[in-house]
Amino acid sequence: MEHSRMIQACLTLFIVAASTYGAHLQASPVLKLDQALLTFQNKLMDEVQVFYTSDYCYKCLFQPLVTVKPNSNASAVMSTKFTLTFRIESDPRNDSLCRLFALPPTGKRGGPASEAENNPTKAKPKRLRSLDTFRGFALTVMVFVNYGGGGYWFFQHAPWNGLTVADLVMPWFVFIIGTSVVLAFRSLQKRAVSRLQLLRKISWRTIVLLMLGFCFLNYSPRDGPLSWSWLRIPGVLQRLGFTYFILSLLQTLWGQTEIPQTAPHWWNPVQDVVLYWPQWLVIVVLETLWLCITFLMPFPNCPTGYLGAGGIGDDGLYPNCTGGAAGYIDRWMFGDNMYRYPTCKELYQTTQPFDPEGLLGTINSVVIGFLGMQAGKIIIFYKEWNFHILCRFLAWAVVLGISAAILTKCTRDGGFIPVNKNLWSLSYVACMGCFSFLLLGGMFFVIDVKGWWAGQPFVYPGMNSIFVYVGHSLLGFYFPFSWEMRFHDSHWEWLFQSLWGTALWVLISYLLFRKSFFLKI
């Protein structure tokens, strides 16, 4: 009897979903981007309650959506960014009658849609063009996603675990910083620049980056009068500046060793690693520190080693544990002077602030930058053997890719250490290191080895990266880069605005290139 009742419930209670692409029901509300109107029709004799959860929200509690009285209808507006699962419960008995179908992204209006310093072979160019192109490509994508990426979910940061396009660009940029440090210091070394001069140079550049991020990019005239209350202490440029300082310090203190062309040792195949063992020792110590703090440090009312988003995630058991040890340290250090709108806030309904550029994640930012340094050493050592460079890049990509697969068990949420951009987890570093070696290797082959492509248009912003990044951060939300949108029921205007603003900065960087203007620190 109970079995037949459940079958009857599943057959008689159904959903009618209307989006802005189809006809609306009477008195339906105005739908915005990535929204759908769901109407529940109850033909049972009992009142039922409808609950929902997002499949992207790991072990999240079902949230109440609507109550439907007997023989009546009820409607609700829902986000269609991520797949949803609904559960129907009978109110008097609190019985779970059935779970209805998952509502996937529609791909239409109201739902997201897919968009889809020396050249080894030529002595003429002084800059490695593929590196400028890689930097410019990462920066161009960064500008596009910072402008909203058309409002599509895959051009925005993942709510917690997982990867989207927006999660790729910053580690690419950090990787390039590491490569550039090795190539630049190699040039300075040839000019017999002393270590004291190098330390002055890197200290000054670090201070400028920190001040740019701390003073200028924290403020907009729209924020009103200057106030300590809105100030964010961590930030993107702050992290890039600190990462640059550590990498440059490693290269200044232990990067002067020349790699011999021939070395009759058993470790000859990995001599570009072994000869720089002090640097590797520092990186191993830093990563060990990250692992120990993340998984062994206890903090109040939360399980040791917690990596979740808190809120309603993990069955709602740890609502105030957002970010685990990393979040706890940042909240203790910075209080409210940190990022107020973490990517998990909406989906996981978190209440604690969390900063993706916090202290603990900076350790792994240094690690991925150090992988970029390794790429630079490979380019210098094998400067006359392009095949060896590409093979070394591929070998590193394979090792890092396998490491990421083991750490994650090839799943989003079920691995030992999930891929997580907010935490800059070890698996995230391994995964992004793999992608970076593959992308730089591919561009190196196409641009510097074969000469099939000169890197346009990405090479132009890549040669003026500080100007483009600071400029789009300060001026990006003013005309002509953006405007107040009129069509809020579709992605097309937002997408056009994002592409337009990004294209303007690429054009500006091209004009500056023509004028030989390059902003340097």
Side-chain angles (χ1 to χ4, degrees):
M1 183 66 183
E2 184 64 25
H3 179 68
S4 63
R5 174 180 173 81
M6 291 181 63
I7 295 177
Q8 180 188 18
C10 293
L11 290 176
T12 58
L13 196 151
F14 60 91
I15 297 176
V16 178
S19 71
T20 56
Y21 229 86
H24 287 228
L25 300 180
Q26 290 185 353
S28 61
V30 176
L31 298 181
K32 298 180 182 179
L33 287 177
D34 300 322
Q35 288 186 340
L37 177 66
L38 306 183
T39 298
F40 300 85
Q41 185 177 16
N42 182 10
K43 293 186 178 181
L44 299 176
M45 299 303 296
D46 296 329
E47 183 179 274
V48 297
Q49 289 184 319
V50 182
F51 298 82
Y52 76 97
T53 187
S54 170
D55 288 1
Y56 218 101
C57 193
Y58 183 58
K59 291 185 178 180
C60 282
L61 298 173
F62 277 85
Q63 298 300 299
L65 179 62
V66 71
T67 299
V68 190
K69 296 185 179 298
N71 295 310
S72 64
N73 301 335
S75 299
V77 175
M78 293 296 300
S79 170
T80 62
K81 282 188 177 182
F82 303 107
T83 303
L84 302 175
T85 300
F86 299 90
R87 188 174 72 192
I88 312 299
E89 291 187 358
S90 174
D91 189 48
R93 300 172 178 81
N94 199 27
D95 293 332
S96 179
L97 301 180
C98 62
R99 289 193 181 188
L100 296 182
F101 65 90
L103 178 67
T106 62
K108 301 178 181 179
R109 300 181 192 180
S114 55
E115 299 278 323
E117 279 340 321
N118 292 318
N119 191 303
T121 57
K122 300 178 183 178
K124 230 176 177 180
K126 293 183 178 180
R127 296 176 69 94
L128 192 65
R129 202 168 181 85
S130 56
L131 187 62
D132 286 326
T133 304
F134 188 12
R135 184 189 296 110
F137 175 72
L139 183 59
T140 302
V141 178
M142 182 184 292
V143 172
F144 177 72
V145 299
N146 285 349
Y147 282 164
Y152 293 104
W153 68 271
F154 43 83
F155 287 132
Q156 299 171 1
H157 291 293
W160 196 247
N161 296 332
L163 276 180
T164 65
V165 175
D167 297 323
L168 305 177
V169 289
M170 188 171 174
W172 282 347
F173 211 81
V174 174
F175 185 92
I176 297 164
I177 288 176
T179 308
S180 301
V181 163
V182 171
L183 298 180
F185 277 54
R186 168 73 171 183
S187 176
L188 295 172
Q189 181 183 354
K190 286 183 177 180
R191 287 187 280 164
V193 177
S194 68
R195 287 185 175 178
L196 181 59
Q197 290 175 302
L198 288 176
L199 289 173
R200 289 175 180 170
K201 180 181 179 65
I202 64 177
S203 298
W204 169 251
R205 194 172 193 186
T206 301
I207 291 172
V208 171
L209 286 172
L210 293 176
M211 295 306 294
L212 278 174
F214 189 72
C215 296
F216 291 96
L217 301 190
N218 261 318
Y219 176 73
S220 168
R222 296 177 299 174
D223 295 325
L226 290 171
S227 172
W228 176 260
S229 60
W230 52 257
L231 189 64
R232 178 190 176 195
I233 297 177
V236 173
L237 281 185
Q238 292 93 310
R239 170 168 287 187
L240 293 180
F242 185 79
T243 301
Y244 166 79
F245 179 78
I246 298 299
L247 297 178
S248 299
L249 203 59
L250 289 176
Q251 191 64 15
T252 300
L253 298 178
W254 299 294
Q256 308 294 330
T257 305
E258 285 287 345
I259 302 177
Q261 293 294 328
T262 56
H265 302 289
W266 63 267
W267 41 263
N268 182 55
V270 291
Q271 59 180 314
D272 54 330
V273 174
V274 175
L275 289 175
Y276 297 96
W277 66 267
Q279 295 181 350
W280 281 96
L281 180 61
V282 172
I283 295 302
V284 169
V285 170
L286 287 176
E287 191 56 43
T288 302
L289 178 65
W290 184 88
L291 290 169
C292 290
I293 294 176
T294 300
F295 293 103
L296 299 179
M297 188 186 86
F299 49 103
N301 303 319
C302 299
T304 302
Y306 183 69
L307 297 176
I312 63 173
D314 296 295
D315 301 319
L317 297 176
Y318 319 112
N320 297 320
C321 299
T322 303
Y328 175 77
I329 291 173
D330 289 339
R331 289 188 288 272
W332 179 73
M333 286 286 295
F334 306 125
D336 292 331
N337 296 109
M338 50 192 291
Y339 196 53
R340 298 172 179 81
Y341 306 101
T343 57
C344 59
K345 185 177 182 66
E346 179 181 353
L347 187 63
Y348 284 87
Q349 301 180 23
T350 59
T351 58
Q352 297 293 319
F354 180 84
D355 203 305
E357 275 73 54
L359 288 176
L360 202 56
T362 304
I363 293 178
N364 278 345
S365 175
V366 172
V367 173
I368 196 170
F370 184 73
L371 294 176
M373 289 178 63
Q374 190 61 35
K377 294 169 187 173
I378 292 171
I379 292 171
I380 290 175
F381 177 54
Y382 296 103
K383 60 184 177 181
E384 297 178 359
W385 301 310
N386 296 324
F387 178 76
H388 287 76
I389 292 176
L390 295 173
C391 286
R392 301 287 285 192
F393 280 8
L394 181 61
W396 273 104
V398 170
V399 170
L400 292 169
I402 292 175
S403 300
I406 293 173
L407 290 172
T408 62
K409 299 181 182 179
C410 296
T411 64
R412 187 185 66 204
D413 300 306
F416 301 108
I417 304 178
V419 170
N420 190 298
K421 192 265 179 188
N422 285 282
L423 298 173
W424 279 65
S425 63
L426 181 58
S427 57
Y428 176 70
V429 169
C431 180
M432 296 313 304
C434 170
F435 290 166
S436 299
F437 273 109
L438 290 176
L439 192 54
L440 180 58
M443 289 186 176
F444 175 78
F445 177 76
V446 172
I447 296 172
D448 292 305
V449 177
K450 292 297 184 181
W452 293 337
W453 178 38
Q456 292 93 347
F458 303 117
V459 68
Y460 305 124
M463 297 176 73
N464 238 326
S465 56
I466 293 294
F467 181 90
V468 173
Y469 180 80
V470 174
H472 102 277
S473 299
L474 291 176
L475 305 175
F477 297 99
Y478 298 95
F479 188 82
F481 302 102
S482 63
W483 55 86
E484 186 176 352
M485 292 185 291
R486 299 180 59 186
F487 301 95
H488 298 285
D489 61 344
S490 172
H491 285 271
W492 78 264
E493 187 180 12
W494 197 349
L495 178 62
F496 176 76
Q497 185 183 96
S498 302
L499 290 171
W500 172 263
T502 304
L504 280 182
W505 284 110
V506 173
L507 176 61
I508 290 171
S509 64
Y510 169 71
L511 296 177
L512 293 176
F513 172 80
R514 292 289 301 270
K515 296 292 184 180
S516 297
F517 176 85
F518 305 103
L519 180 62
K520 297 181 180 180
I521 299 175

